[in-house]
Amino acid sequence: MTYMIGDWELVIGLEVHAQVTSQAKLFSGAATAFGASPNSQVSFIDAGFPGMLPSINAECVAQAVRTGLGLNAQINLWSRFDRKNYFYADLPQGYQISQFAHPIVGTGEIEITLDDGTKKTIGITRLHLEQDAGKSQHDQHPSKSFIDLNRSGVALMEIVSEPDMRSPEEAGAYVAKLRQILRYLGTCDGNMDEGSMRADVNVSVRKPGEGFRTRCEIKNVNSVKFVMQAVEVEARRQIDVWESGEEVHQETRLFDTARGVTRSMRSKEDAHDYRYFPDPDLPPLVLDAGWVEQLKASLPELPDARRARYVAMGLTPYDAHVLTLDRETAVFFETMACGRDAKLAANWLTGDYFAALNRLKRDIADPPVSAEHMGELLDLIADKTLSGTIAKQVFEHMLSGEGAPAAIVEARGLKQVTDTGAIEAAIRAVMEANADKLAEYRSGKEKLFGFFVGQVMKAMAGKGNPAAVNELLKAMLAG
Amino acid sequence: MRPTDLSLAQARLALDARQISARELTQAYLDAIAALNPRLNAYITVTAEAALTAADAADQKLAAGQGGPLEGIPLGIKDLFCTAGTRTTAASRILGDFTPPYESTITRQLLRDGAVFLGKLNLDEFAMGSSNATSAFGPVENPWSRRNDPDTRLVPGGSSGGSAAAVAARLALGATATDTGGSIRQPAAFCGVAGIKPTYGRCSRFGVVAFASSLDQAGPIARDVMDCAVLLRSMSGFDPQDSTSVDMAVPDFAAAVGRGVRGMRIGIPREYRMAGMPAEIEALWQQGIAWLRDAGASIVDVSLPHTKYALPTYYIVAPAEASSNLARYDGVRFGARVPGADLTELYEKTRAAGFGAEVQRRIMIGTYVLSAGYYDAYYLKAQQVRTLIKRDFDLAWAQCDALLTPATPSAAFGLDEKQDDPVAMYLNDIFTVTANLAGLPGMAVPAGLDGQGLPLGLQIIGQPFDEEGVFAVAGAVERAAGFSARPGVIA
Amino acid sequence: MSVDIATIKRVATLSRIHVEPAALPGLAQDINAILGWIEQLSEVDTTGVEPMAGGGATALRWRDDVVSDGGQAEAVLANAPDREGEYFGVPKVVE
Ligand SMILES: [Mg+2]
Ligand SMILES: [Zn+2]
C-alpha cells in the first residue's frame, strides 16, 4: 500500500543529530550536563579562543562505534575530521569540526515496523562525529540575540539515512526506532525535548517512476510527531508549487509548530560553500580492530533480537513488542521472569503493573515495586501459596510500600489453604448448612455448583486453593 | 663586561655564581629597551614591573640553590604566544586589548624553568610576512645598516622580526619565535643571530595564535647556537593538549653543539642553486661547504627535484589553513568590534577594519582555493605536491645526515623595498619553506657579511627529530665562521 | 584561472570581509598575480599521489572522558566586546 497525496509520491531522508552520552565534550574537558547556567560549561577551546587546540574524548569515539555496531553498520578503522567553515554567532571557531570525507561509520540499516505490521528496511548512509554549536536566544532583548556556549563542542552523532522513506508514518517510525536503538545502547539519552536528538528532514515529491526532484531540508525538528507533521505539510507545499507550474528551490526551512507550516530560513541563505578541508589540528582517528570486536561483544541485546527471543519464550507478539519498547522495561521483565513462567510474568507486567504505573504516574525506571519483589510474588502464585485473587490483594499492599510479598502474606495471614482436610471440613459445613440446595443439585440443578464454590470460598475467607476446592466439591456434592 | 654582553650560557653561570643578580641583569635589559625600543620598535608591550618581580623571585631561588635551567634569564616573547594576564595582539588590530586568561604551553615551560619575561615582541600581523612590515604596531627596524648607505632603514625579516631584532640589539637575551615558512630562520639570518625551527610536533602549539596549523612550529632565536640549544630544551616536549604533538623524549641539545661533524654526510641540494642567485650568497654557501669538509664531514651532492614547487605549494596550504584559523576573529567573544546593523555587517566591518591588507589578501586566497569547484585544483593538488616534496627529503636521507643551504636569497632589504609586490616578498622564504612543508628541523646560523656589511646566514636542515644533528652541524659552522660582527644599533 | 570582480566579491562575502567597491580591481589584480604564480603547480604530475595533510603525530591520542574544564564563565566572558549578563551579545539574528 503506497502513501500518496493525489498522484504524488513522497521521498524522505533524515539526518538525525544525536547527542553522545558522555561526561565531557568531544574536544574539551568541559561538562555536557543539561540545564547549567549560561556559559558555565565552556572551556576556552569551546569558545574558540586564540591558540586553543582540540583533543578527542575516547568515550565519544567508543559511543559512535557502539552506535555503528547497533545499526549493523560498517565501522571505518581509519577516519578523519574535517572543518566545515561558516560564520554564525553560536559557532565560535568559525568552523564546525565534523567528518565529511571519511566518517567513522559507513553504511548500515534499520528495520522499521508500521502500524499494520509491515516491515521495511531503511538504509543508513553514514554516521559521523561532530561538534554541536552554541545556543542563540532571540527573545531576551529587543535588538540583540544572546549567545550561550554551553552546548558548543558537545559531541553529536549525525546519522544520515538513505532517502528510503515514503510516508510521514515511515519517517516517524524511523525516528522512533532509531531513538529506541540509541537508548538501548546507552549512546544517546534520546530526550528530544531537551534537544539531545533533532532531525533534519529532507523532503521531495515526485510522480511515481520519476527520478528525484528538488528537495528541501527542514532543520531541527524535535519530536516524532513534528517529523510526521513537517513531512506532510512540506510535501503539500511542494505539490502546490509544482502544480501551480513553478519550481521548488533547494533550501533550508524551519517547521513552525504553532502555525503548522514550514518557512524559509533567512540565516542559512548563503552558507552553502562550506569549504571543507582536513582539520590540520587533528591527525587521523585510527581504531584498533580488536578494540572494535570487544565493543561488539559487550553490546547490549537490541530490541529486535529481544523481541524475537520473547516470542520464542511463548509471549504474544504484542506483549513482546510492548515489553521491548525500551530497555528499562525489558530489563525489568527479565529480572521478574527469570526462572519463572514468562507468560505469567508478561501478563502481570503488562496488566496490573502497567495499570499501577499509570495510576501512580510512575515510570519503570523509578518503579514503585521492584522486579525482584514481583518475581517473588509470581513464586508465591506458582507454589500455590496465593491464588490469583489474593495475589492481586498482595500486589496492592506491595504498591503501598509494605515490602516483600512473603512478609505481607505472613503478616496479613493471606496464605492459600491447600490442606484438603481443611477444605473438606469447610465443604461439609456448607453442605450441612444448605441441605435444600444440596438436594436440588443432586436432582440435576447443576447450575448450583457455582453457589457452593462461593460459599466454600467465603467460609475459607478466600484462602482456599480454587482448583482444590473445585475438585473436592465436585466429588463430595456427587455424594 | 656589561651585563648585556653575556650570552645566555654565560649569564646562567654568572647568576649561579652570584656575580650578578637576576634583578641587575633584568634591569640592564629594561634599560636597553627604554633606550633603543623607541627606534627599533621590537617590543609591542614591555612588562617591566612584572619582569622585575620575576627577577626578584629568581634571585631568591638562586640564593637557595634552587634555580631552574633558565633561572633569571630575561627573554622576549613573540606576541603570538598567549601569556596569562598580559595583552596578546598577534600584531593585529583585531585582537584589540585581548588579555588571555591562559598561558601557552611553551611560555609556561619557560616560566617553569625560571625565565623572566621582558615583554611581547613585534611581528608581522598573524605572522604573515617576511619583513615585519605588516604589523599593526608599525614596522621593526633591523639594528644593522648598510655600510655605504647607513640612513636606509632595513627590515629585520619576518615574521619574527621583533624577536630577531631584539636579540641582535641586545634588548633580550633570547626570544621565542615561530616559523611557518621561514619566520624564525629568515629574520635570524637578516639580523645576524641564530634561530632554530624544530621538527613539527616537537614544540607544543597550544596557546600559540595559529597561522597555518600544519606548518606552524615554535622555536628560539638567540645569540648563538648554544643559547638556542638551551632554550629549545625548555620549549620542547610532549603536550597532550596539542594533538599533533609527538610523544618523544627531549634530548640534551646543548650536548650536541660541540659534538663536531666528523663522519657526518652533509648533503648539498643542487636545486637550491637558483638562477640569479647573488654571487655573495653562492660564495658563502661554498665557504660553508669548505668549513664542514675541513671539519671532517663528507659532502654529498643530493637532489630535491620538487624544490621549485615548494613556495607555490606553501601559498596554497598556508592561506587555506589561515582563512579557517582566522575565522574566530569575529568581534563576538574577544577582540575589537565594529558595530553593524546585523550580524553579517558586524562581521564584515570588524574584519575589514581589524585585519591588515596582507592578512585580508591571504584570507581571501585561502577562501578561494578551498571554495567549491577549486578545492581539487588548488588545495588537493598542493597537498599532493607536499607529499612529493617530503618524499624528496626521505630519499635524500638515504645519502646524507643533514643538508646545508643558504638561509635567504639576499641580505636584509630596505623598509620600502618589495612592499608592493607580494610575490617578490614571498620569494624570501624560498630556502626555508621546504622544511615546513616536510616538517623538518631547520636552523639559521650567522656565517658572514655581504659587501655592505650585512649579515648572511647558512641553513642546516636535519632529519625528523634529529635536532641534535642540526645543532652539531650548526656548532661546527659557527666555530668555523667565528662570526663576531655587531650591528650598529646595540645596547 | 583568472579571477573576476564578481568572484572577488563572492570570496570577500564568504570571508566576511567588507571590501570597498573601489578597492575590488586592485585586490583582483593582486590575487590574480598570486594565483598566476601558483599556477605552475599544474606542471607537476600528481597522479596517484596521496595528499599530505600535515605532520606530527600520525594518529589521534584519546583523552579520558572526565570533566576537567569549564566552570569559568567570568573568564570566558571577560574579553567580550558586548557582554549581556551571562551571555555574549550580538545584533538580533533572524532565523
Ligand atoms: Mg546536516
Ligand atoms: Zn551535522
Side-chain angles (χ1 to χ4, degrees):
Chain A
M1 194 197 71
T2 322
Y3 178 92
M4 304 279 283
I5 299 178
D7 54 353
W8 295 88
E9 182 184 62
L10 276 56
V11 178
I12 307 145
L14 283 137
E15 295 165 23
V16 171
H17 284 92
Q19 179 181 329
V20 174
T21 299
S22 65
Q23 298 299 309
K25 294 183 180 179
L26 181 54
F27 294 115
S28 89
T32 57
F34 180 78
S37 65
N39 290 303
S40 65
Q41 293 181 163
V42 180
S43 83
F44 297 114
I45 299 167
D46 311 319
F49 270 55
M52 291 297 98
L53 296 172
S55 58
I56 198 164
N57 181 336
E59 179 62 9
C60 297
V61 176
Q63 294 286 55
V65 172
R66 286 186 193 107
T67 307
L69 292 169
L71 300 176
N72 295 311
Q74 157 104 33
I75 305 300
N76 294 323
L77 298 182
W78 191 97
S79 67
R80 192 184 70 196
F81 287 94
D82 299 295
R83 292 186 184 176
K84 177 181 183 178
N85 294 283
Y86 65 96
F87 286 87
Y88 201 66
D90 54 22
L91 187 74
Q93 298 165 120
Y95 55 85
Q96 179 195 33
I97 306 179
S98 183
Q99 296 188 299
F100 179 61
H102 299 277
I104 185 166
V105 175
T107 55
E109 58 186 41
I110 285 184
E111 190 183 68
I112 57 171
T113 308
L114 302 175
D115 281 348
D116 65 1
T118 50
K119 292 182 188 308
K120 181 168 178 178
T121 299
I122 307 298
I124 302 291
T125 313
R126 57 185 282 161
L127 174 156
H128 66 254
L129 276 169
E130 63 185 23
Q131 300 176 297
D132 203 352
K135 235 176 145 49
S136 301
Q137 304 203 358
H138 308 301
D139 52 2
Q140 309 244 333
H141 188 282
S143 62
K144 290 181 182 183
S145 292
F146 286 5
I147 311 297
D148 171 13
L149 299 179
N150 278 349
R151 294 194 70 98
S152 171
V154 167
L156 299 178
M157 296 179 281
E158 181 173 332
I159 303 161
V160 182
S161 84
E162 293 290 313
D164 286 349
M165 287 154 275
R166 295 289 175 271
S167 69
E169 190 198 353
E170 289 182 15
Y174 170 83
V175 174
K177 184 63 178 283
L178 179 59
R179 180 170 176 273
Q180 183 191 30
I181 293 172
L182 296 177
R183 287 169 53 91
Y184 258 79
L185 292 166
T187 58
C188 169
D189 66 23
N191 288 333
M192 296 189 81
D193 43 352
E194 288 179 4
S196 319
M197 218 180 129
R198 286 108 75 184
D200 297 344
V201 187
N202 286 288
V203 180
S204 65
V205 296
R206 66 176 175 187
K207 299 282 175 72
E210 278 187 350
F212 294 137
R213 295 199 183 199
T214 309
R215 65 187 161 87
C216 290
E217 182 178 14
I218 310 155
K219 280 274 177 204
N220 286 336
V221 186
N222 65 355
S223 82
V224 173
K225 192 180 85 191
F226 289 151
V227 166
M228 295 170 69
Q229 289 176 2
V231 166
E232 169 131 20
V233 300
E234 175 60 14
R236 289 187 186 279
R237 184 192 71 86
Q238 290 182 17
I239 290 166
D240 285 349
V241 172
W242 290 121
E243 289 187 342
S244 67
E246 317 227 333
E247 294 225 338
V248 168
H249 297 288
Q250 182 161 352
E251 62 179 347
T252 305
R253 301 179 69 86
L254 267 185
F255 181 51
D256 183 332
T257 53
R259 294 170 48 219
V261 296
T262 68
R263 59 177 168 84
S264 190
M265 263 180 104
R266 268 180 53 185
S267 56
K268 301 272 176 181
E269 264 166 20
D270 63 353
H272 289 308
D273 193 342
Y274 291 124
R275 291 156 283 134
Y276 284 101
F277 75 106
D279 190 327
D281 289 330
L282 293 163
L285 177 56
V286 181
L287 310 181
D288 176 69
W291 177 77
V292 173
E293 280 308 311
Q294 276 174 26
L295 286 186
K296 194 171 188 175
S298 66
L299 226 51
E301 188 183 27
L302 290 174
D304 286 352
R306 223 163 193 150
R307 197 173 55 229
R309 189 160 56 81
Y310 289 3
V311 170
M313 282 158 68
L315 268 54
T316 64
Y318 179 77
D319 279 357
H321 167 73
V322 169
L323 292 177
T324 52
L325 274 177
D326 58 73
R327 194 174 161 200
E328 285 81 5
T329 305
V331 168
F332 191 99
F333 167 69
E334 289 189 22
T335 309
M336 179 178 168
C338 182
R340 306 183 176 103
D341 178 352
K343 256 192 92 62
L344 183 66
N347 287 341
W348 267 89
L349 189 52
T350 58
D352 295 85
Y353 200 90
F354 281 3
L357 287 180
N358 256 328
R359 199 167 69 228
L360 302 172
K361 298 193 169 30
R362 294 281 286 264
D363 193 274
I364 198 131
D366 169 33
V369 170
S370 72
E372 287 77 9
H373 280 173
M374 287 308 288
E376 288 167 30
L377 182 64
L378 295 183
D379 290 341
L380 293 176
I381 297 169
D383 70 8
K384 303 196 175 2
T385 305
L386 296 180
S387 67
T389 321
I390 303 242
K392 284 180 203 287
Q393 285 178 42
V394 172
F395 178 56
E396 288 305 320
H397 292 299
M398 290 163 76
L399 283 170
S400 41
E402 291 177 32
I408 294 170
V409 167
E410 193 60 42
R412 296 185 168 263
L414 295 174
K415 209 166 238 164
Q416 173 172 248
V417 179
T418 45
D419 169 1
T420 50
I423 298 174
E424 282 171 13
I427 292 175
R428 262 193 297 276
V430 168
M431 283 165 68
E432 275 164 30
N434 297 282
D436 49 340
K437 295 270 193 318
L438 177 64
E440 283 181 51
Y441 177 83
R442 286 186 172 162
S443 64
K445 204 167 178 191
E446 292 188 1
K447 271 186 350 198
L448 281 170
F449 186 76
F451 164 79
F452 283 104
V453 172
Q455 290 299 306
V456 173
M457 290 305 273
K458 194 173 165 194
M460 298 188 74
K463 288 184 269 181
N465 178 315
V469 168
N470 261 313
E471 219 154 290
L472 286 169
L473 196 55
K474 221 167 237 173
M476 290 170 71
L477 287 177
Chain B
M1 205 177 188
R2 295 171 315 150
T4 51
D5 287 337
L6 298 167
S7 74
L8 195 159
Q10 291 165 337
R12 197 59 197 79
L13 290 172
L15 286 163
D16 261 344
R18 310 303 291 142
Q19 288 159 352
I20 187 171
S21 70
R23 178 172 260 272
E24 287 165 336
L25 188 62
T26 298
Q27 190 61 58
Y29 276 99
L30 291 172
D31 291 346
I33 293 167
L36 297 180
N37 198 56
R39 170 167 176 182
L40 295 179
N41 198 29
Y43 282 87
I44 291 174
T45 306
V46 180
T47 53
E49 244 175 80
L52 290 171
T53 306
D56 289 342
D59 278 326
Q60 288 190 4
K61 283 206 165 171
L62 288 161
Q66 293 165 348
L70 296 173
E71 203 66 53
I73 298 296
L75 301 178
I77 303 301
K78 186 177 184 178
D79 208 11
L80 203 60
F81 292 78
C82 289
T83 43
T86 299
R87 181 177 71 149
T88 298
T89 69
S92 182
R93 277 184 302 276
I94 207 158
L95 273 149
D97 280 323
F98 174 63
T99 304
Y102 47 85
E103 192 74 36
S104 80
T105 297
I106 286 183
T107 47
R108 191 163 36 75
Q109 290 177 179
L110 291 170
L111 292 170
R112 170 201 68 197
D113 287 354
V116 170
F117 293 169
L118 298 165
K120 306 297 289 287
L121 293 162
N122 207 342
L123 64 149
D124 279 296
E125 184 179 6
F126 281 103
M128 297 182 192
S130 305
S131 67
N132 214 120
T134 70
S135 169
F137 296 85
V140 175
E141 186 188 338
N142 192 324
W144 295 78
S145 46
R146 293 175 184 139
R147 195 177 287 139
N148 301 332
D149 177 20
D151 293 336
T152 295
R153 301 197 159 191
L154 303 179
V155 303
S159 66
S160 310
S163 302
V167 170
R170 296 185 177 171
L171 307 189
L173 193 34
T176 65
T178 61
D179 190 317
T180 304
S183 282
I184 289 175
R185 293 157 288 160
Q186 184 253 16
F190 275 15
C191 293
V193 292
I196 180 167
K197 177 200 92 73
T199 312
Y200 185 86
R202 177 67 95 179
C203 284
S204 170
R205 295 183 298 112
F206 189 83
V208 183
V209 174
F211 162 14
S213 310
S214 77
L215 301 162
D216 294 346
Q217 191 61 197
I221 288 179
R223 229 167 272 181
D224 57 31
V225 174
M226 178 59 85
D227 288 2
C228 282
V230 173
L231 285 173
L232 183 61
R233 190 172 193 198
S234 283
M235 293 170 72
S236 296
F238 171 62
D239 179 7
Q241 291 185 285
D242 174 358
S243 295
T244 62
S245 170
V246 176
D247 192 356
M248 274 186 111
V250 178
D252 180 5
F253 300 124
V257 174
R259 191 170 83 184
V261 293
R262 188 158 304 282
M264 279 184 89
R265 299 165 303 163
I266 305 298
I268 308 300
R270 72 178 78 111
E271 290 80 6
Y272 280 54
R273 191 160 288 110
M274 305 274 174
M277 185 192 259
E280 288 175 316
I281 301 288
E282 171 67 30
L284 181 81
W285 194 8
Q286 291 308 321
Q287 179 59 254
I289 292 169
W291 287 332
L292 291 177
R293 191 184 284 117
D294 292 349
S298 57
I299 305 298
V300 253
D301 174 56
V302 298
S303 174
L304 302 170
H306 295 90
T307 298
K308 74 174 271 210
Y309 302 110
L311 266 181
T313 298
Y314 175 83
Y315 276 95
I316 293 171
V317 173
E321 293 182 9
S323 70
S324 177
N325 282 335
L326 270 58
R328 66 188 57 199
Y329 304 99
D330 59 5
V332 175
R333 294 161 316 284
F334 48 78
R337 167 188 286 196
V338 178
D342 58 24
L343 189 62
T344 301
E345 196 181 299
L346 180 151
Y347 287 153
E348 293 186 343
K349 285 184 164 179
T350 296
R351 291 163 61 82
F355 293 133
E358 178 64 17
V359 172
Q360 291 189 24
R361 194 153 50 216
R362 294 203 199 186
I363 288 174
M364 286 193 242
I365 287 175
T367 301
Y368 178 73
V369 298
L370 289 175
S371 65
Y374 300 102
Y375 180 88
D376 287 3
Y378 288 112
Y379 192 73
L380 186 68
K381 181 86 181 177
Q383 285 197 316
Q384 290 175 311
V385 177
R386 196 173 170 184
T387 299
L388 296 175
I389 289 167
K390 181 170 184 298
R391 198 177 288 169
D392 284 354
F393 280 103
D394 292 342
L395 293 173
W397 301 134
Q399 293 170 266
C400 65
D401 306 308
L403 299 163
L404 182 75
T405 79
T408 58
S410 75
F413 49 88
L415 268 174
D416 301 326
E417 298 161 24
K418 304 194 191 190
Q419 298 297 349
D420 28 309
D421 181 355
V423 175
M425 185 65 82
Y426 297 170
L427 293 174
N428 269 286
D429 293 330
I430 194 153
F431 298 130
T432 48
V433 75
T434 52
N436 300 83
L437 289 168
L440 303 171
M443 183 163 200
V445 193
L449 298 175
D450 75 353
Q452 292 282 355
L454 297 180
L456 294 174
L458 286 170
Q459 175 182 228
I460 297 97
I461 298 175
Q463 298 186 10
F465 293 101
D466 184 28
E467 284 84 1
E468 290 168 284
V470 172
F471 278 117
V473 179
V477 170
E478 184 180 56
R479 284 190 295 279
F483 185 86
S484 60
R486 293 292 170 255
V489 180
I490 189 167
Chain C
M1 280 177 238
S2 178
V3 176
D4 58 15
I5 300 287
T7 306
I8 295 289
K9 268 190 186 163
R10 189 176 60 83
V11 168
T13 302
L14 273 176
S15 308
R16 295 295 184 276
I17 296 175
H18 173 76
V19 179
E20 289 296 334
L24 285 168
L27 190 58
Q29 205 179 349
D30 284 348
I31 289 181
N32 274 317
I34 296 164
L35 291 174
W37 170 69
I38 286 170
E39 208 59 31
Q40 54 181 302
L41 284 193
S42 56
E43 299 165 22
V44 186
D45 181 4
T46 51
T47 321
V49 177
E50 275 297 307
M52 174 177 169
T58 48
L60 275 176
R61 285 180 307 273
W62 302 359
R63 204 183 81 236
D64 286 343
D65 181 28
V66 287
V67 175
S68 58
D69 206 341
Q72 50 185 352
E74 276 310 310
V76 165
L77 291 160
N79 278 286
D82 178 11
R83 176 179 173 174
E84 299 288 340
E86 297 169 289
Y87 297 92
F88 297 99
V90 296
K92 202 180 209 47
V93 177
V94 183
E95 287 200 319

